[in-house]
Amino acid sequence: MNENHGMYVRASAPAKLTLFGEHFVVYGSPAILASINKRISVTLKPNRMNTVSIKYGRMRMDVPIINGRVHKMGTSSRSFLHPILSCLFDMQSELGSLSGLDVLIESQVPHGEGLGSSAASCVAAAGAFYSLFFKKDRKKIFEAAAQAERTIHKHSSGADCYASTFGGILHYKPTSGHRRISIKKKILFVICTTGIKHRTQNLVLRVKRMKENNPTEFRGLAKRANNICSDARRALVFGNYEALGTLLTENHELLKKLNVSHPKLEEFIDICTNSGALGCKLTGAGGGGSIIALIPNRDSRNIISDIGKKIPQSMLAELDFDGIQIAQGLNSIKKF
Ligand code: PMV
C-alpha cells in the first residue's frame, strides 16, 4: 500500500511551440520545440471514498475503484480526461492498491490549438502521480506521459511530452533524445490562434496517407525538413534571427505540401508577414490551430501592436525554462 493520506501533490507542466519539424518528427526526423509560460496543473489528494473524482472547471467525473483498481475508462475516454485516466490506468500496477483520489485539473492552455495541451496534461498527471507515490524522476515522468499520450494518438513522436517535461528550447530526435539549445539573444514569437480546433491524430493520419501514396515526394520533403532543422539550430545558437525567419517560412511551405495548412492559417501568415514578422509558420498539427510569427527585436513594439489590431486572438509567447514543476504538502511550487 503506497498511499499518503493527508497530503497533496500539485504538478504543473508547460505548453509548447513546435518551431520546426512537426509531422516529420513522427517518422524519425528532428524537431525543435520551445516551452511557453502557459501551464496545465494537476493536483492530487488521496481520499478513502473508493473513487477517483476528477474536476475540471464545472465538469466532474467519478471513476469507481474496485478491489483497489481503477476501472477501465468508459464513455469519456475521448474527452479531456483521457490523459489523466490513461496515466492513472497505466501506472496503477506500480502504484499498488488505491482507496481513492481527488484530482483537480486547471488549465491556461487552449485545447486543440497546436500548443501541446494533451502532452502538458499527460506530463502534469504523470508528474503528480509519480511524486505522490514515488520519488520525483523526470525521465520516468516523461516515459509515463509519452505512453499515455500514445493512447490518445498512437503515432505520437513524444516530442511534445519531452518539451513539456524538460522546458527550454530543445532539439529533439525520437531515436537519440534531446539537446538543449542555449540562446544568447532575446527571441520574440507571437502566437495567433484561429479558434479552429484540430485533432492531432486525424492530421497525423492525413500525412501518413500522403506518405504512403507519394513515398518519393515525402522522402524529399523530409530531407529538406531535416536540413532546415540543422540550419535553424545554428541560427538560434548564433542569434541569426533573419535566417531563422526565412527557415520558418520554408518549413511552413513543406507543411503546406503535406496538406496540413488551412485558409485561416494562411490569412494570419500574410497579416503577420505584412506587419514585419521575420518569418511565420503553422505550429503543431495544423488543419486549424495556431501560427507563430518571429518578431525582430528592432521595432518589435509596433509590429506586435499592428498584429494585435488585425488579429485580436494573438499573444506574445514567453518562453519557459523550468519544464515540469511539483509542489507537495503546503510547500510552494519548487523545481527539482
Ligand atoms: O498539435 P499538437 O500540439 O498536438 O502537435 C502535434 C505535433 C505532431 O508532430 C504533428 C505530432 C507528434 O506526435 O509529434
Side-chain angles (χ1 to χ4, degrees):
M1 188 89 143
N2 291 312
E3 292 184 48
N4 296 303
H5 286 284
M7 73 173 300
Y8 75 85
V9 168
R10 178 167 184 260
S12 86
K16 58 80 214 182
L17 304 177
T18 309
L19 305 184
F20 294 93
E22 55 272 90
H23 285 293
F24 297 103
V25 67
V26 171
Y27 300 98
S29 294
I32 297 178
L33 297 100
S35 302
I36 56 170
N37 72 339
K38 298 258 173 277
R39 290 183 162 258
I40 292 187
S41 75
V42 172
T43 306
L44 298 183
K45 202 168 183 312
N47 67 41
R48 293 181 196 274
M49 309 291 284
N50 282 319
T51 307
V52 177
S53 172
I54 306 174
K55 285 192 199 147
Y56 175 57
R58 273 187 271 153
M59 292 186 245
R60 183 190 163 131
M61 184 182 166
D62 291 319
V63 186
I65 296 176
I66 300 168
N67 296 330
R69 311 269 304 161
V70 180
H71 263 241
K72 188 89 180 146
M73 291 158 262
T75 47
S76 59
S77 60
R78 295 255 154 250
S79 77
F80 73 98
L81 296 176
H82 190 109
I84 313 295
L85 286 168
S86 280
C87 266
L88 183 55
F89 197 76
D90 290 348
M91 289 166 83
Q92 68 177 332
S93 53
E94 289 184 62
L95 301 182
S97 179
L98 278 175
S99 66
L101 272 181
D102 291 325
V103 182
L104 176 69
I105 306 164
E106 292 157 292
S107 176
Q108 306 168 322
V109 186
H111 191 64
E113 296 267 18
L115 305 179
S117 60
S118 308
S121 38
C122 289
V123 172
F129 290 131
Y130 249 97
S131 309
L132 187 60
F133 297 103
F134 309 106
K135 63 180 176 25
K136 297 160 191 159
D137 179 336
R138 273 188 203 246
K139 195 162 172 283
K140 285 230 187 274
I141 291 169
F142 160 69
E143 283 162 4
Q147 190 178 334
E149 216 208 359
R150 274 187 203 107
T151 65
I152 305 167
H153 94 92
K154 79 171 181 208
H155 301 289
S156 165
S157 64
D160 290 11
C161 287
Y162 230 110
S164 196
T165 309
F166 293 97
I169 305 181
L170 299 173
H171 181 274
Y172 176 84
K173 199 149 193 252
T175 46
S176 53
H178 78 283
R179 267 199 272 170
R180 196 172 282 276
I181 301 176
S182 302
I183 51 168
K184 293 183 200 79
K185 241 166 71 180
K186 187 165 96 175
I187 190 158
L188 291 173
F189 285 103
V190 164
I191 308 168
C192 307
T193 55
T194 61
I196 302 164
K197 309 269 177 219
H198 67 216
R199 282 179 76 114
T200 300
Q201 62 268 46
N202 294 348
L203 287 139
V204 169
L205 276 180
R206 192 188 292 180
V207 172
K208 184 168 180 273
R209 275 198 293 274
M210 183 271 165
K211 178 178 179 282
E212 282 162 6
N213 294 335
N214 308 290
T216 314
E217 188 187 351
F218 185 86
R219 250 197 318 277
L221 296 175
K223 190 161 178 240
R224 184 67 204 118
N226 245 291
N227 294 340
I228 287 177
C229 239
S230 316
D231 293 350
R233 186 157 108 202
R234 267 193 299 278
L236 276 163
V237 170
F238 292 111
N240 186 350
Y241 294 162
E242 297 273 340
L244 194 72
T246 307
L247 292 164
L248 283 170
T249 304
E250 275 183 40
N251 192 152
H252 182 72
E253 289 305 313
L254 302 183
L255 292 165
K256 268 163 75 176
K257 297 209 166 101
L258 295 183
N259 192 23
V260 293
S261 190
H262 183 281
K264 199 72 192 168
L265 295 171
E266 295 304 317
E267 184 191 319
F268 281 5
I269 285 179
D270 285 348
I271 292 172
C272 293
T273 308
N274 292 332
S275 296
L278 293 171
C280 307
K281 69 179 270 296
L282 70 82
T283 186
S290 308
I291 66 139
I292 48 171
L294 177 63
I295 309 299
N297 288 335
R298 184 180 33 80
D299 208 20
S300 60
R301 268 211 202 173
N302 287 335
I303 296 172
I304 293 166
S305 133
D306 195 45
I307 295 174
K309 278 185 209 139
K310 293 170 183 157
I311 309 176
Q313 60 280 36
S314 60
M315 59 189 162
L316 192 61
E318 306 262 344
L319 297 192
D320 163 279
F321 292 94
D322 296 327
I324 186 165
Q325 292 187 307
I326 316 267
Q328 263 173 320
L330 297 174
N331 295 340
S332 56
I333 295 267
K334 60 176 184 251
K335 292 181 204 169
F336 70 98

